[in-house]
């Protein structure tokens, strides 16, 4: 048997080594890298976690729609930054954030639906009936959130978080090539835009394959928007145009996703409403027309166009 020689990932020294993930970093390199750059990243991540913890606790206590929204946004920002650092998908912190997001997402969709349909209640009794049904469903999901959240965001979660900051973060930050990583994200986005245009050429804008491709563009735009927002301070660069570009895409296509969700909910509850097929058909037709117009008006240029 041979003894494996351990050395620093950066300078190849073989003494005063700190094990980080599957690699080793010597004390000198770690101290050098633990300067202002490390403090900035740690401060950024800890602020996001503090916000996330605050709003998640409010979700359990109060459950107001704005708390749900802010908790969801905080979690998405935190997840986006960790993924940008290339933290593994199966990391315990990311797994728990995803579990929480799944619960929050269902409630947020219900809140958006209720707010939109309350404004239409006078137009048709279907809208009022749908608001009642979804409000009941929302209360049940809120109870599920209240019962599950304490077991997800618990002492183990925050212990893993502290371990990540103290023993793992340095590895991710010291090995991160920000410009290269940003370029990877941009290329990924461009490929999704190309896939959308290809689907439109082959099937038309209204085809399900084109709509699915558009959804993937929207998801990628969210990540890029959050990344550029947070990196603007860390990199001391002005990313205003990039942030605005991806925000515009996220907002426009998010509205399309909302109308699709509303149409699905009408189909889901149609047999539970005190209304005729004709009345339900009228609402479905109205939403389909709205969705069709929105999809037809999609204008998706390449980022550099």
């Amino acid at each position: 048997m041979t003894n494996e020689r351990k050395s620093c990932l950066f300078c190849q020294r073989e003494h005063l080594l700190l094990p980080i993930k599957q690699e080793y970093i010597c004390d000198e390199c770690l101290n050098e890298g633990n300067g202002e750059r490390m403090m900035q990243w740690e401060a950024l991540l800890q602020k996001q976690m503090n916000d996330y913890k605050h709003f998640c606790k409010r979700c359990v206590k109060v459950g107001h729609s704005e708390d749900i929204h802010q908790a969801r946004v905080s979690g998405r920002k935190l997840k986006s930054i960790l993924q940008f650092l290339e933290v593994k998908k199966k990391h315990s912190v990311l797994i728990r954030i995803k579990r929480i997001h799944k619960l929050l997402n269902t409630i947020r969709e219900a809140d958006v639906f209720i707010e939109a349909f309350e404004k239409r209640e006078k137009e048709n009794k279907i809208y009022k009936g749908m608001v009642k049904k979804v409000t009941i469903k929302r209360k049940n999901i809120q109870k599920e959130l209240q019962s599950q959240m304490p077991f997800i965001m618990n002492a183990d979660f925050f212990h893993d978080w502290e371990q990540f900051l103290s023993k793992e973060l340095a590895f991710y930050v010291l090995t991160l090539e920000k410009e290269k990583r940003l370029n990877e994200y941009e290329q990924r986005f461009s490929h999704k835009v190309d896939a959308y245009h290809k689907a439109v050429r082959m099937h038309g804008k209204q085809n399900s394959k084109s709509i699915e491709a558009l959804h993937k563009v929207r998801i990628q735009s969210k990540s890029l928007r959050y990344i550029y927002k947070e990196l603007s301070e860390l990199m001391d660069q002005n990313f205003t145009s990039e942030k605005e570009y991806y925000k515009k895409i996220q907002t426009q296509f998010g509205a399309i996703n909302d109308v699709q969700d509303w149409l699905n909910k009408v189909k889901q509850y149609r047999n539970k409403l005190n209304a005729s097929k004709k009345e339900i058909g009228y609402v479905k037709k109205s939403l389909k027309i709205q969705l069709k117009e929105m999809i037809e008006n999609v204008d998706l240029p390449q980022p550099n166009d």
Side-chain angles (χ1 to χ4, degrees):
M1 295 183 64
T2 59
N3 292 325
E4 181 184 356
R5 294 176 68 88
K6 298 174 179 142
S7 60
C8 175
L9 177 66
F10 299 101
C11 70
Q12 307 307 313
R13 287 189 180 90
E14 298 179 4
H15 60 282
L16 297 177
L17 299 177
L18 176 69
I20 297 179
K21 305 298 285 181
Q22 308 301 318
E23 304 288 349
Y24 292 87
I25 298 177
C26 74
D27 189 60
E28 186 174 334
C29 286
L30 184 62
N31 288 335
E32 183 180 340
N34 264 345
E36 186 177 352
R37 182 168 47 149
M38 277 298 302
M39 288 191 292
Q40 285 179 322
W41 276 101
E42 187 169 349
L44 168 65
L45 285 163
Q46 190 59 58
K47 179 184 180 304
Q48 290 297 341
M49 178 56 78
N50 290 342
D51 290 344
Y52 190 45
K53 180 180 179 180
H54 168 74
F55 286 113
C56 282
K57 282 189 172 183
R58 284 190 59 84
C59 287
V60 174
K61 272 189 174 182
V62 183
H64 190 273
S65 61
E66 185 58 24
D67 295 323
I68 298 291
H69 174 58
Q70 292 300 330
R72 191 163 164 259
V73 170
S74 298
R76 186 174 283 145
K77 286 180 179 179
L78 188 57
K79 185 176 75 169
S80 295
I81 298 168
L82 293 174
Q83 289 174 334
F84 183 77
L85 287 170
E86 297 189 85
V87 175
K88 302 298 181 184
K89 289 181 180 180
K90 293 186 178 180
H91 193 287
S92 60
V93 171
L94 272 175
I95 288 174
R96 287 175 183 262
I97 290 174
K98 289 173 185 175
R99 285 177 62 191
I100 293 170
H101 184 77
K102 187 176 180 180
L103 291 168
L104 295 173
N105 194 50
T106 311
I107 300 177
R108 177 60 183 169
E109 286 178 358
D111 286 338
V112 171
F113 179 93
I114 292 167
E115 183 181 351
F117 272 45
E118 280 179 338
K119 295 176 181 177
R120 306 183 185 199
E121 282 185 342
K122 293 181 181 179
E123 297 178 26
N124 190 304
K125 68 177 184 179
I126 301 296
Y127 294 118
K128 190 172 184 177
M130 286 295 302
V131 168
K132 288 182 179 179
K133 295 294 182 184
V134 176
T135 299
I136 293 171
K137 179 67 174 177
R138 200 257 191 220
K139 288 179 180 177
N140 291 333
I141 304 169
Q142 176 67 28
K143 289 179 181 177
E144 185 180 352
L145 175 72
Q146 289 172 329
S147 66
Q148 291 192 29
M149 182 74 84
F151 295 100
I152 304 174
M153 187 172 272
N154 56 13
D156 289 338
F157 174 76
F158 292 111
H159 174 266
D160 290 348
W161 176 250
E162 292 300 328
Q163 289 290 104
F164 170 76
L165 290 181
S166 63
K167 295 185 178 181
E168 299 176 36
L169 180 60
F171 171 79
Y172 292 110
V173 171
L174 292 175
T175 57
L176 177 67
E177 298 177 68
K178 291 191 287 290
E179 290 79 7
K180 180 182 177 182
R181 190 76 173 126
L182 277 174
N183 187 53
E184 289 174 2
Y185 268 63
E186 291 287 2
Q187 286 184 344
R188 199 177 302 161
F189 177 79
S190 293
H191 290 156
K192 293 185 187 302
V193 172
D194 288 340
Y196 167 72
H197 287 306
K198 183 179 179 181
V200 169
R201 287 194 301 270
M202 292 179 65
H203 310 288
K205 284 189 172 182
Q206 302 295 329
N207 186 272
S208 60
K209 292 182 179 179
S210 300
I211 295 171
E212 177 61 25
L214 186 62
H215 176 67
K216 291 179 180 178
V217 170
R218 182 178 71 90
I219 296 299
Q220 188 67 19
S221 71
K222 282 184 182 181
S223 295
L224 275 160
R225 177 191 173 190
Y226 294 141
I227 291 300
Y228 274 119
K229 183 179 184 301
E230 302 305 331
L231 289 185
S232 58
E233 294 183 15
L234 283 172
M235 297 177 70
D236 195 26
Q237 289 180 238
N238 187 349
F239 291 123
T240 302
S241 60
E242 289 87 351
K243 286 186 290 184
E244 289 304 313
Y245 173 78
Y246 293 113
K247 180 180 179 180
K248 182 179 178 181
I249 288 175
Q250 180 188 347
T251 303
Q252 179 188 1
F253 302 160
I256 291 174
N257 192 64
D258 288 341
V259 178
Q260 280 185 309
D261 178 62
W262 302 344
L263 188 56
N264 290 336
K265 278 186 169 57
V266 172
K267 293 176 181 178
Q268 178 186 348
Y269 289 102
R270 65 181 181 272
N271 295 327
K272 299 179 181 179
L273 297 170
N274 183 24
S276 67
K277 288 184 178 180
K278 184 178 179 180
E279 290 170 319
I280 295 172
Y282 172 81
V283 172
K284 286 169 62 179
K285 183 178 179 180
S286 176
L287 289 172
K288 284 179 179 178
I289 290 171
Q290 182 182 355
L291 182 61
K292 185 176 180 180
E293 288 177 352
M294 294 171 77
I295 292 172
E296 205 59 42
N297 290 329
V298 166
D299 180 23
L300 184 58
Q302 287 287 356
N304 296 324
D305 287 353

